[in-house]
Amino acid sequence: MKTIYLDNAATTQIDDEVINVINTSMKNIYGNPSSTHQFGRKAKSAVETARKNIAKHFNVSASEIVFTAGGTEADNLILQNAVSNLNVKRIITSKIEHHAVLHTCNHLQEKFNVIIDYVKVDAFGAVIIEDLERLLKASKAKTLVSLMMINNEIGNLLDINKISDICIKHNALFHSDTVQAIGHYSLDLKESPIDFIAVSAHKFHGPKGVGFAYFKKGFGIMPMLHGGDQERGARSSTENVHSILGMEKAIQIAISNLENDKNYIEGLKKYLISGLKKLSKNIEFNGFSSDMQKSSYTILNVRFPFNNAMLLFSLDMAGISVSGGSACQSGSNIGSHVLSEILTDKDADKTSIRFSFSKYNTIQELDLVLNYLKKQKSN
């Protein structure tokens, strides 16, 4: 059975060149970067070179990059540090953020009495700018705004420059979970003055279990983990050397091929949209995911005109890997908090599927998916 992987928003296939870098480093750079002998110095040098190279891609200094075990840890480190070290008393976020942000905000509210306010989003999941302005004007408490650059479920693109300008105007800090964006969009952090971002390597064909947090220079960092002085005291734990080097390579490949990959993957998304529309005039798209200007070219969230709890399972049995879930809660399927927030009761119980693409997908694969869905429709 031919397998088709269309769940790249969950994780991506690791690039062969990245695997080669990881394998080589595991064989040849096995010293502890904290050791002072030549093996340790070799590992430390490799890590610091990777940090500098990664920083250059975002037009920041190496000292502003803190390596983590992934995007979730990066989000936690940033948000918890904002409260414990930067005296943030209030966080403004949205109810359609990743749980790495939402659950951390809940924790900070319970433990430190941090005020959590939620900016309204419209029926497409777009942040209502006027409501953000209203919330920022409503309190003089030191505030951090946390809004993701690309929504991981519906693919909506956030105008981070506009949000950044609003935050600066109201003297608020700005954090963005950029996990779905890095490797697919260029981001110059001098031109886009965001204070903090979270990044995860496995979303752009790098290894799992590694990422980084960006802290704009001038913001001190109080670690969540204790027991060592790694990452200049910001994050105790022996550095994951081979994964850091793999992430460096993955970023380099992604940025070098960004325009070509974007054009190719965008073509795949347009092709699937066209095929789905031909399949049924009643198929709809959640959020702005079918709008090529307002959504990521890597994500398409499709709402079918029926409720079929077995569709996701049957696609998997046919070798087609996607993500799904309706907005309702039923049995062990707790559904999507994002779709629950934006869909009406009429649409909430319909079956939604997220297709997400990479450079490794093909038109031929999409034809097989469309043919399978056509058979399901006729049944």
Side-chain angles (χ1 to χ4, degrees):
M1 179 177 67
K2 177 177 173 57
T3 56
I4 299 170
Y5 186 76
L6 287 166
D7 197 20
N8 291 280
T11 195
T12 56
Q13 177 183 338
I14 192 165
D15 193 288
D16 286 342
E17 290 184 64
V18 174
I19 293 173
N20 290 338
V21 166
I22 292 171
N23 286 341
T24 300
S25 66
M26 290 179 80
K27 290 177 182 178
N28 301 317
I29 310 176
Y30 50 85
N32 187 322
S34 296
S35 299
T36 57
H37 50 61
Q38 59 180 304
F39 291 93
R41 294 196 304 272
K42 182 177 181 180
K44 183 70 171 177
S45 176
V47 167
E48 293 310 316
T49 297
R51 194 190 311 274
K52 289 175 185 176
N53 290 339
I54 289 170
K56 285 178 184 176
H57 291 306
F58 301 96
N59 196 17
V60 298
S61 68
S63 63
E64 296 171 294
I65 302 294
V66 177
F67 292 130
T68 66
T72 295
E73 186 191 340
D75 282 328
N76 272 262
L77 180 61
I78 290 164
L79 293 172
Q80 294 196 43
N81 186 75
V83 172
S84 63
N85 198 38
L86 301 178
N87 202 36
V88 164
K89 304 296 184 185
R90 178 177 182 241
I91 297 174
I92 298 173
T93 186
S94 81
K95 291 185 178 180
I96 63 170
E97 299 300 301
H98 192 279
H99 281 139
V101 168
L102 293 177
H103 289 176
T104 305
C105 286
N106 291 341
H107 166 75
L108 293 171
Q109 185 177 43
E110 291 172 8
K111 188 170 182 179
F112 300 104
N113 294 316
V114 175
I115 299 165
I116 308 297
D117 286 323
Y118 298 96
V119 63
K120 293 177 183 177
V121 297
D122 63 20
F124 293 96
V127 171
I128 298 175
I129 298 298
E130 294 78 11
D131 193 54
L132 178 60
E133 292 259 24
R134 178 188 66 80
L135 287 171
L136 285 167
K137 290 175 183 176
S139 172
K140 296 296 183 183
K142 187 164 185 180
T143 299
L144 177 140
V145 174
S146 180
L147 296 169
M148 65 203 314
M149 184 171 171
I150 294 175
N151 187 276
N152 59 303
E153 292 198 29
I154 55 177
N156 285 12
L157 274 167
L158 181 74
D159 188 339
I160 54 172
N161 288 330
K162 178 181 284 188
I163 301 297
S164 181
D165 288 344
I166 292 171
C167 288
I168 291 169
K169 174 183 171 184
H170 294 280
N171 199 31
L173 299 174
F174 179 33
H175 158 245
S176 185
D177 180 325
T178 60
V179 164
Q180 293 293 338
I182 300 305
H184 308 296
Y185 290 84
S186 59
L187 182 59
D188 186 322
L189 290 167
K190 287 289 188 289
E191 290 185 2
S192 300
I194 308 171
D195 298 303
F196 316 98
I197 69 168
V199 179
S200 187
H202 74 104
K203 304 296 187 179
F204 48 87
H205 307 289
K208 295 174 181 64
V210 68
F212 67 85
Y214 160 75
F215 284 77
K216 182 181 283 186
K217 190 173 291 184
F219 294 123
I221 306 170
M222 187 175 290
M224 292 192 304
L225 305 177
H226 303 275
D229 293 325
Q230 291 88 356
E231 296 300 293
R232 300 174 308 283
R235 198 257 186 187
S236 297
S237 187
T238 299
E239 293 89 346
N240 186 353
V241 178
H242 56 272
S243 291
I244 289 170
L245 300 185
M247 175 168 62
E248 175 200 6
K249 184 63 177 178
I251 286 178
Q252 182 260 311
I253 293 170
I255 291 178
S256 296
N257 299 287
L258 197 140
E259 282 306 312
N260 287 337
D261 287 346
K262 179 179 184 291
N263 291 335
Y264 175 72
I265 298 168
E266 200 170 62
L268 295 176
K269 179 174 174 176
K270 288 178 179 177
Y271 186 85
L272 186 58
I273 291 171
S274 175
L276 288 167
K277 285 180 176 178
K278 291 174 184 175
L279 195 65
S280 171
K281 65 179 181 179
N282 294 318
I283 283 176
E284 297 181 272
F285 302 94
N286 294 317
F288 285 124
S289 67
S290 64
D291 187 323
M292 304 306 292
Q293 301 302 313
K294 296 181 179 180
S295 72
S296 170
Y297 58 91
T298 59
I299 295 173
L300 181 67
N301 199 303
V302 183
R303 187 169 74 253
F304 293 89
F306 51 74
N307 183 351
N308 182 352
M310 295 299 292
L311 180 58
L312 196 65
F313 177 74
S314 63
L315 283 164
D316 184 38
M317 293 299 292
I320 301 166
S321 297
V322 292
S323 286
S326 64
C328 66
Q329 296 192 13
S330 56
S332 61
N333 177 20
I334 62 171
S336 158
H337 70 286
V338 175
L339 298 183
S340 294
E341 189 65 25
I342 66 173
L343 295 183
T344 63
D345 292 341
K346 176 175 65 75
D347 293 322
D349 198 39
K350 293 178 181 176
T351 297
S352 290
I353 298 289
R354 180 188 69 181
F355 300 90
S356 47
F357 317 94
S358 85
K359 62 184 180 181
Y360 294 117
N361 292 123
T362 65
I363 291 290
Q364 290 73 26
E365 289 179 331
L366 299 185
D367 282 334
L368 290 172
V369 172
L370 289 166
N371 287 335
Y372 180 80
L373 290 170
K374 187 176 182 180
K375 290 177 185 176
Q376 290 294 109
K377 179 188 173 188
S378 61
N379 292 338

